[in-house]
């Protein structure tokens, strides 16, 4: 990560992506974003989070999917510890924008939940974009277990079915 204080775009890949595949996806994403005028939203420092979301034997990926939910949770906890150490209380703030895809969105939601809890830190999450989120809406709705983390982030956009979004969040 760059020095604390600068805005960072954190990209989180989905399930069954090797490090090479994730890197290629991030580069393609950033290339597409660079061609669109987005009103200054793009942070200067894009970086990716490589979490172990694939199996060495491709055929095992389908069978291993349920196990990867726990892996995404553990990865979120590790990333939380790293970010807290990187931006401790009293130091410069680290401002993140996060884009997640598929099961990587589960990691993002778990990370937000971790960051919303004590102890104190100086990490701020400005924007979150979840694409095809592999997260049950019941976990983020008004009574859901991850609602505090979702509410803690300054803004979340979900690219999925409008019907699913309205069911979880109503008109907000």
């Amino acid at each position: 990560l760059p020095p604390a204080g600068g805005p960072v775009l954190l990209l989180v890949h989905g399930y069954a992506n090797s490090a090479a595949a994730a890197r290629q996806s991030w580069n393609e994403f950033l290339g597409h974003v660079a061609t669109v005028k987005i009103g200054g939203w793009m942070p200067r420092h894009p970086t990716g989070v490589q979490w172990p979301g694939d199996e060495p034997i491709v055929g095992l990926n389908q069978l291993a999917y349920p196990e990867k939910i726990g892996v995404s949770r553990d990865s979120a906890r590790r990333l939380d510890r790293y970010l807290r150490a990187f931006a401790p209380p009293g130091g410069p703030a680290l401002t993140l924008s996060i884009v997640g895809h598929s099961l990587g969105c589960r990691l993002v939601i778990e990370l937000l939940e971790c960051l919303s809890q004590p102890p104190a830190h100086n990490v701020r999450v400005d924007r979150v974009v979840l694409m095809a989120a592999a997260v049950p809406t019941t976990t983020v709705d008004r009574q859901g277990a991850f609602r505090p983390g979702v509410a803690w982030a300054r803004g979340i956009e979900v690219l999925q079915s409008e019907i699913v979004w309205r069911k979880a969040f109503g008109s907000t």
Side-chain angles (χ1 to χ4, degrees):
L1 291 175
V8 174
L9 174 61
L10 200 60
L11 302 169
V12 183
H13 66 81
Y15 176 65
N17 280 259
S18 66
R23 225 176 279 107
Q24 180 181 348
S25 294
W26 296 329
N27 287 335
E28 288 176 15
F29 174 80
L30 293 170
H32 291 301
V33 169
T35 66
V36 178
K37 293 189 184 257
I38 51 177
W41 175 81
M42 184 71 158
R44 291 184 304 261
H45 306 288
T47 189
V49 173
Q50 171 60 32
W51 62 281
D54 68 322
E55 292 296 321
I57 301 171
V58 176
L60 292 179
N61 281 323
Q62 294 292 351
L63 296 172
Y65 185 87
E67 296 294 320
K68 295 302 178 178
I69 295 170
V71 173
S72 69
R73 180 181 311 114
D74 293 342
S75 298
R77 290 177 182 152
R78 288 178 182 204
L79 185 55
D80 170 66
R81 287 192 300 272
Y82 175 79
L83 293 172
R84 286 172 187 269
F86 190 81
L94 174 63
T95 303
L96 298 175
S97 292
I98 306 173
V99 176
H101 177 252
S102 186
L103 193 56
C105 294
R106 177 65 183 246
L107 187 154
V108 171
I109 294 295
E110 296 265 5
L111 175 63
L112 296 176
E113 184 62 25
C114 290
L115 288 170
S116 73
Q117 304 298 319
H121 55 80
N122 210 358
V123 179
R124 307 289 175 257
V125 176
D126 190 38
R127 289 190 175 104
V128 177
V129 177
L130 304 176
M131 300 183 297
V135 180
T137 57
T138 56
T139 64
V140 295
D141 68 12
R142 299 196 191 292
Q143 304 301 318
F146 297 128
R147 185 58 183 203
V150 168
W152 177 81
R154 288 186 58 196
I156 295 185
E157 298 291 330
V158 179
L159 304 179
Q160 65 180 20
S161 165
E162 187 175 316
I163 295 167
V164 172
W165 177 255
R166 285 192 181 152
K167 180 179 175 190
F169 293 101
S171 62
T172 60

